[in-house]
């Protein structure tokens, strides 16, 4: 069973979350948190990171209640402006880029983003120079590829 299937099962019922948590822990997969309260969801978190120029972004991602959740920090060590963008493909339809964070100058900014998620959605995250478009970006990283535990 793939982690994607496990994650969907985890978010469906709390009973499956407890069983899957034990299986994931034994297989040394990504950390899993679970609540045993009725109607609770559990999330298998997966780290992600991307960079470009003097900026980098890193965080965790998981699926919760039918949504992909990205939680991260954009950090810049230089003087320029940078931004974090995602692009999703749903059933072969390429959606436009969406900006989630921007920073100008040295420092860091936290961000959280959510997107409706099903097994037919794929997504990529990029760090780009500037704050208005995606013409100068680092390599995209998949945010919908789930490691197999």
């Amino acid at each position: 069973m793939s982690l994607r299937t496990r994650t969907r099962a985890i978010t469906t019922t709390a009973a499956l979350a407890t069983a899957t948590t034990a299986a994931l822990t034994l297989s040394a997969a990504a950390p899993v948190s679970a609540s045993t309260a009725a109607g609770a969801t559990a999330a298998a978190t997966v780290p992600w990171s991307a960079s470009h120029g003097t900026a980098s972004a890193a965080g965790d991602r998981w699926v919760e209640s039918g949504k992909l959740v990205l939680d991260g920090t954009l950090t810049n060590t230089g003087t320029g402006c940078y931004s974090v963008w995602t692009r999703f493909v749903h059933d072969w339809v390429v959606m436009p880029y969406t900006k989630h964070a921007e920073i100008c100058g040295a420092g860091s900014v936290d961000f959280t983003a959510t997107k409706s998620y099903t097994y037919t959605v794929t997504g990529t995250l990029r760090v780009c120079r500037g704050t208005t478009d995606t013409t100068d970006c680092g390599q995209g990283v998949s945010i919908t590829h789930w490691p197999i535990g």
Side-chain angles (χ1 to χ4, degrees), residues 9-11 13-25 32-37 40-42:
I10 288 170
T11 59
T13 66
L16 284 176
T18 303
T20 305
T21 300
L24 288 174
T25 302
V32 175
S33 61
S35 173
T36 57
T41 61

Side-chain angles (χ1 to χ4, degrees), residues 28-80:
V32 175
S33 61
S35 173
T36 57
T41 61
T45 61
V46 179
W48 58 266
S49 65
S51 63
H52 185 59
T54 60
S56 62
D60 292 308
R61 59 188 166 92
W62 63 90
V63 174
E64 181 177 312
S65 301
K67 293 186 183 245
L68 173 67
V69 180
L70 299 172
D71 187 42
T73 302
L74 172 62
T75 304
N76 186 12
T77 59
T79 58

